[in-house]
Amino acid sequence: MSGDPAVFRAACPECASRFVLTASALRLVMGASHRTTFYSFTCPDCGSAVRKPAGERIVELLTGGGVRTLRLHTTV
C-alpha cells in the first residue's frame, strides 16, 4: 500500500457531473435502519447538497477509507 489518501467516485443527481472526492469531502450518517443511513457531500461543480443511501458495502468502504461518521441514537 502506497499510503495515498482514499478517494471515492461520486456523481451529482442535480447536474449529472461525475467526480472524485477525498474522505474529508464526505460525511457518513449511520442511523437505526437502512432508511436513516446515508452519506452526503457537496457537488464541487454545481454546489448542490447531495444525500444518498448507504448500504452495508458502502458503509464498509467509507469507514475503511476514513470518512467522518455520525452515529444517530434512538431514544426509548
Side-chain angles (χ1 to χ4, degrees):
M1 185 150 244
S2 65
D4 291 333
V7 292
F8 304 91
R9 289 188 307 267
C12 177
E14 294 297 318
C15 71
S17 180
R18 295 184 176 277
F19 38 83
V20 174
L21 298 171
T22 61
S24 63
L26 294 155
R27 174 95 69 238
L28 175 63
V29 177
M30 295 179 62
S33 73
H34 68 277
R35 286 184 290 165
T36 56
T37 299
F38 61 91
Y39 66 99
S40 63
F41 58 90
T42 300
C43 176
D45 291 338
C46 73
S48 290
V50 179
R51 176 176 161 165
K52 294 189 174 186
E56 286 183 35
R57 182 70 180 133
I58 297 293
V59 169
E60 287 176 19
L61 290 170
L62 295 178
T63 55
V67 172
R68 289 170 291 183
T69 302
L70 174 64
R71 295 181 191 279
L72 302 178
H73 299 282
T74 58
T75 57
V76 180

